[in-house]
Amino acid sequence: MKAITVQDGQIELVERQMPTPGAGQVLVKSRACGICGSDLHILHHPEEMARLAGAMAGATEEGAPAPAANAGGAGGAPEIRLGHEYCAEVVAHGPGAEGAPPVGARVCSIPFLIAPDAGPMGMVGVGLSEGVYGGMSEYFLLQSEFLLPVPDGLDDAGAAMAEPLAVALHFVTRSEMAPSQVALVVGCGPIGLFTIEALKLRGVSRIIASDPHPGRRAIAEALGAASVLDPGVDNVMARAAEAAGETGEALAVFECSGATAVIPPLVAEAPANTRIVVGGVHTTPLTIDPGLAMLKEIDLRFAFVYSPEEYAEALQALGDGRVAWRRLVTGKVGVDGVADAFRVLSAPSDHVKIIVEPWREGGLEAFA
């Protein structure tokens, strides 16, 4: 079968043996898989991601971070078989998985396989780990007990959007904000735009969005953001603080840009009692003024992954037609065009979310 891998900053299309499902697993055929900002981060910052993988694997007896599990390659980074935003079709059942959806059923799943020897979590990430095929492979493995049927009428690409929407729902959960509060979404890439949708699902209507790209600001406005700002022209925090002040409630800020340099100014400029949820992928250290944050009682939180319940909520919302996911999906590509799609997404462009269809070949084209 064909598979997409990344190692030491290189995207490769490789031929690999089709995996065999083990106990409690199913073999699936990938029907659609989104390219995520995390995939881009793995491509462009392999050393930082390997360092974090080692830290997540646990600590040594001396308390120092353990080395990255299975780290290899000339540059020390592992080979990652990409794809964790997917919709798939059941092909075969492993032992003990006979109760899973039948062959031919379309399914989604949180991107994890149970692996008791994999460290504190007891799981490994699908499309995020060495040795585990992801949704950009023609075929890959999923855990039978995590499978959810795709709602009737929901396109493959739409079902694949359950994962990023679940991420955004978790951001909102972490904020603990009330529907009456004002939300500021900083960065209108895929996760920022899905955060707007997640806020709406949770009843929040006072949403301010900020992004330097006019196309992404237009999508944010179409999704229902009450105010859309250009950080190169507008004083974003002042506008958000004014809107929050009119409600008499604290501001909630969602950092979705992935630009580490924006976090210290957010802390410095935010009004008192602001809660900032950092959801963008950040792997480099930063410095903030803790004294200023203390005086203003800024609440700085970080969000990572989501719960199975949030994933199920996301899939159901997509199936019910309550999320305008088509506004975010701008392109699609066959398995042989993935490297070019990554190149396009790595530079400023009008593309937001590109869907990989590993079952076919073909270059980047508009999504219809």
Side-chain angles (χ1 to χ4, degrees):
M1 69 171 190
K2 294 181 175 67
I4 296 295
T5 68
V6 61
Q7 185 175 31
D8 293 326
Q10 297 294 322
I11 296 285
E12 298 286 348
L13 172 59
V14 299
E15 293 277 350
R16 292 289 165 84
Q17 186 69 31
M18 188 183 300
T20 300
Q25 297 177 341
V26 296
L27 176 68
V28 297
K29 177 181 179 179
S30 182
R31 295 176 63 103
C33 184
I35 298 176
C36 176
S38 298
D39 298 323
L40 295 170
H41 210 84
I42 291 170
L43 172 65
H44 296 299
H45 305 282
E47 298 86 358
E48 295 175 7
M49 297 300 285
R51 174 182 60 79
L52 284 183
M56 287 294 291
T60 65
E61 290 184 1
E62 289 76 22
N70 302 318
E79 177 196 82
I80 304 299
R81 302 164 186 182
L82 291 173
H84 61 277
E85 301 178 352
Y86 46 72
C87 171
E89 178 182 330
V90 176
V91 173
H93 300 81
E98 293 80 4
V103 171
R106 293 190 306 146
V107 295
C108 287
S109 164
I110 61 173
F112 294 97
L113 291 176
I114 294 175
D117 60 349
M121 290 183 62
M123 294 188 291
V124 293
V126 173
L128 297 163
S129 306
E130 187 176 25
V132 180
Y133 290 105
M136 292 185 206
S137 302
E138 286 187 274
Y139 298 88
F140 59 110
L141 300 177
L142 290 176
Q143 197 71 37
S144 62
E145 54 262 59
F146 296 160
L147 297 182
L148 294 173
V150 175
D152 293 339
L154 181 60
D155 291 2
D156 295 340
M161 296 302 94
E163 204 279 341
L165 179 58
V167 169
L169 283 169
H170 186 63
F171 292 174
V172 180
T173 300
R174 289 284 293 146
S175 74
E176 296 185 293
M177 70 177 300
S180 55
Q181 287 179 258
V182 171
L184 169 61
V185 177
V186 178
C188 294
I191 290 299
L193 294 171
F194 271 121
T195 298
I196 294 173
E197 291 286 72
L199 286 163
K200 289 162 53 186
L201 288 173
R202 296 287 173 83
V204 179
S205 61
R206 294 180 176 89
I207 304 169
I208 299 172
S210 168
D211 195 279
H213 193 282
R216 296 186 175 192
R217 293 199 302 273
I219 297 174
E221 185 173 21
L223 291 178
S227 180
V228 180
L229 306 176
D230 179 353
V233 176
D234 301 307
N235 188 330
V236 173
M237 190 59 77
R239 294 278 294 275
E242 180 182 6
E246 293 172 356
T247 70
E249 298 186 79
L251 176 67
V253 177
F254 298 86
E255 193 297 299
C256 301
S257 71
T260 305
V262 309
I263 298 176
L266 287 179
V267 173
E269 298 169 11
N273 302 311
T274 294
R275 178 165 294 162
I276 301 172
V277 178
V278 179
V281 178
H282 300 276
T283 57
T284 56
L286 60 84
T287 300
I288 63 171
D289 185 342
L292 183 59
M294 177 186 69
L295 289 173
K296 295 193 295 181
E297 294 195 333
I298 299 295
D299 193 343
L300 185 61
R301 297 187 176 190
F302 295 83
F304 179 66
V305 197
Y306 40 80
S307 69
E309 292 78 14
E310 287 164 333
Y311 186 95
E313 178 186 355
L315 182 60
Q316 189 60 56
L318 289 159
D320 292 343
R322 291 181 286 141
V323 177
W325 63 269
R326 289 182 180 275
R327 293 187 182 276
L328 282 71
V329 179
T330 55
K332 61 181 180 178
V333 67
V335 71
D336 58 332
V338 173
D340 183 56
F342 269 77
R343 179 187 61 78
V344 169
L345 289 173
S346 297
S349 77
D350 291 331
H351 278 287
V352 178
K353 176 67 70 174
I354 295 176
I355 296 292
V356 178
E357 297 175 331
W359 46 269
R360 68 173 181 91
E361 294 185 345
L364 181 60
E365 59 185 277
F367 182 82

